[in-house]
């Protein structure tokens, strides 16, 4: 029981960060605006959560320009998808034991 | 410490996000029924233009190919308009957006085989190779659906598979081509639409 709780990742202990990881785990590259729409959050809120996931090394930021407007897209890193998978497994374990 | 409820809601949130962000689930089943009816009407009209030509003889111009092309164009436009309008209504009701990651992926994956197949068939029509039209439209439409199914409800995969089979049968038996076309674009769409409507849209409380 205790073990499973330890396997939960602190980085994902938030609904928005969990949502970001869920979307990025099934889509190769997702733009800031698509994420915002999907998760229904404000710019600032989303940006801060993206920053923390980026700092943890779980997502990559890809900056490019479309019609001279900056277009930021995000993708999950290998490390990120491994961490997310083990977080999901830990969640499942906890639910099984409860 | 979190409760079980928290963990359960987290899991269901993750599942919802994974599904909604990669699949377009609000395609209208009702529009499938209407599209099927248009196609059946179109097949009857095409049949009479080609063979019996009593009921719709007043529609007949000098060039059968031109008549049939206009008919096909009208049915195609009507179908697309119906799908877009009814799906928009459903999307709005569900409080979602029409243009999202799921719908973009679905349309991209649908349009690549559909447009290339459509252009190929048009090229053959200009070369007066008309035998390709019925099996070609069925096969390319089937391929498009099979391809797009990954980004919408999985039932679309089977709809595509049946269209493909009908297309190949139509190539082997061109004499019953129009019947097979009516089965594929008409009857199958109606069955699919009814199934989807009752599975995902209809609720007794309205």
């Amino acid at each position: 029981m205790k073990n499973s709780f330890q396997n939960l990742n602190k980085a994902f202990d938030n609904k928005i960060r969990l949502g970001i990881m869920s979307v990025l785990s099934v889509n190769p590259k997702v733009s800031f605006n698509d994420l915002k729409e999907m998760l229904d959050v404000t710019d600032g809120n989303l940006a801060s959560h993206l920053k923390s996931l980026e700092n943890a090394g779980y997502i990559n930021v890809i900056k490019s320009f479309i019609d001279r407007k900056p277009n930021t897209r995000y993708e999950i890193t290998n490390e990120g998808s491994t961490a997310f998978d083990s977080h999901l497994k830990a969640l499942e374990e906890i639910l099984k034991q409860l | 410490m979190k409760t079980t409820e928290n963990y359960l809601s987290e899991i269901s949130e993750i599942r919802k996000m994974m599904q909604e962000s990669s699949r377009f689930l609000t395609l209208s089943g009702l529009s499938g029924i209407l599209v099927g009816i248009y196609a059946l009407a179109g097949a009857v009209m095409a049949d009479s233009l080609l063979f019996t030509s009593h009921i719709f003889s007043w529609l007949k111009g000098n060039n059968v190919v031109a008549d049939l092309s206009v008919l096909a164009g009208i049915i195609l436009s009507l179908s697309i308009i119906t799908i877009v309008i009814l799906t928009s209504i459903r999307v709005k009701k569900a409080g979602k957006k029409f243009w999202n990651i799921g719908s973009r992926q679905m349309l991209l994956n649908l349009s690549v085989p559909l447009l290339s197949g459509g252009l190929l068939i048009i090229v053959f029509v200009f070369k007066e190779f008309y035998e390709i039209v019925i099996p070609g439209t069925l096969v390319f439409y089937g391929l498009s659906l099979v391809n797009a199914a990954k980004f919408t409800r999985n039932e679309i995969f089977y709809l595509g598979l049946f269209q493909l089979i009908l297309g190949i049968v139509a190539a082997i038996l061109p004499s019953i081509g129009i019947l097979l076309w009516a089965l594929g674009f008409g009857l199958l769409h109606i069955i699919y639409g009814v199934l989807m409507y009752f599975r995902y849209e209809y609720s007794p409380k309205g």
Side-chain angles (χ1 to χ4, degrees), chain A residues 5 8 12-15 18-19 22-23 25-28 30-31 34-35 37-39 84 87-88 91-92 94-95 98, chain B residues 1-5 7-11 13-23 97 99-102 104-105 151:
Chain A
F5 282 109
L8 285 177
F12 306 138
D13 192 17
N14 169 289
K15 230 181 180 168
L18 209 57
S22 312
V23 173
S25 68
V26 287
N27 292 287
V30 183
S31 72
D34 280 335
L35 275 173
E37 203 172 281
M38 227 33 254
L39 301 166
F84 188 58
H87 182 75
L88 289 185
L91 272 178
E92 276 171 19
I94 290 169
L95 285 175
L98 284 171
Chain B
M1 185 67 105
K2 287 182 180 178
T3 62
T4 326
E5 299 262 295
Y7 291 117
L8 274 175
S9 87
E10 262 179 31
I11 293 241
E13 183 72 18
I14 291 168
R15 234 180 243 146
K16 201 182 117 211
M17 280 294 153
M18 282 177 160
Q19 248 210 347
E20 282 189 2
S21 71
S22 59
R23 283 170 184 261
K97 290 247 165 79
W99 201 235
N100 60 18
I101 314 173
R104 275 204 304 265
Q105 292 276 21
F151 302 100

Side-chain angles (χ1 to χ4, degrees), chain B residues 7 12 20 24 31 38 62 72 85 88-89 95 98-99 107 111 115 120 133 136 156 169 176 178-179 182 186 191 193:
Chain B
Y7 291 117
S12 68
E20 282 189 2
F24 185 65
S31 64
Y38 302 158
N62 296 321
I85 291 176
S88 305
I89 293 171
F98 192 89
W99 201 235
L107 285 176
S111 55
L115 292 181
L120 189 77
V133 174
I156 291 261
V169 175
I176 55 163
I178 290 190
L179 180 70
I191 294 170

Side-chain angles (χ1 to χ4, degrees), chain B residues 46-61:
Chain B
D47 190 65
S48 73
L49 281 174
L50 280 170
F51 307 112
T52 50
S53 71
H54 294 304
I55 321 166
F56 295 103
S57 53
W58 49 277
L59 274 173
K60 215 168 176 182

Side-chain angles (χ1 to χ4, degrees), chain A residues 17 28 39 59 61 69 71 73 75 93:
Chain A
R17 287 199 289 271
L39 301 166
I59 60 173
V61 186
K69 276 185 223 149
N71 177 49
R73 288 182 301 167
E75 67 178 359
E93 281 302 311

Side-chain angles (χ1 to χ4, degrees), chain B residues 67-138:
Chain B
D67 290 349
L68 287 175
S69 305
V70 171
L71 181 65
I74 292 171
I75 290 173
L76 184 65
S77 319
L78 212 58
S79 302
I80 293 172
I81 293 167
T82 304
I83 295 169
V84 170
I85 291 176
L86 289 181
T87 300
S88 305
I89 293 171
R90 258 203 91 195
V91 167
K92 208 172 253 174
K93 249 190 206 164
K96 288 178 187 145
K97 290 247 165 79
F98 192 89
W99 201 235
N100 60 18
I101 314 173
S103 67
R104 275 204 304 265
Q105 292 276 21
M106 185 197 73
L107 285 176
L108 180 73
N109 281 275
L110 184 78
S111 55
V112 171
L114 201 61
L115 292 181
S116 53
L119 282 174
L120 189 77
I121 291 165
I122 289 170
V123 169
F124 275 118
V125 167
F126 274 110
K127 293 186 171 183
E128 300 184 4
F129 187 67
Y130 304 122
E131 292 85 351
I132 190 100
V133 174
I134 287 174
T137 46
L138 282 165

Side-chain angles (χ1 to χ4, degrees), chain B residues 148-206:
Chain B
K150 284 165 277 179
F151 302 100
T152 179
R153 297 261 184 221
N154 208 34
E155 286 88 341
I156 291 261
F157 176 85
Y158 297 98
L159 180 64
L161 218 55
F162 283 123
Q163 306 281 10
L164 266 174
I165 294 166
L166 285 175
I168 289 163
V169 175
I172 300 166
L173 305 167
S175 57
I176 55 163
I178 290 190
L179 180 70
L180 292 169
W181 195 92
L183 271 181
F185 283 94
L187 198 65
L188 279 186
H189 274 144
I190 294 173
I191 294 170
Y192 162 80
V194 170
L195 196 79
M196 297 302 275
Y197 180 74
F198 283 104
R199 204 173 264 185
Y200 302 112
E201 288 162 58
Y202 176 77
S203 57
K205 285 171 190 165

Side-chain angles (χ1 to χ4, degrees), chain A residues 43-81:
Chain A
D43 281 20
N45 204 353
L46 180 59
S48 74
H49 287 299
L50 283 167
K51 194 80 213 163
S52 75
L53 287 172
E54 191 195 338
N55 290 339
Y58 293 154
I59 60 173
N60 263 338
V61 186
I62 308 148
K63 285 189 189 286
S64 61
F65 288 88
I66 294 177
D67 293 335
R68 292 191 198 153
K69 276 185 223 149
N71 177 49
T72 314
R73 288 182 301 167
Y74 298 87
E75 67 178 359
I76 199 163
T77 59
N78 286 337
E79 206 182 324
S81 66

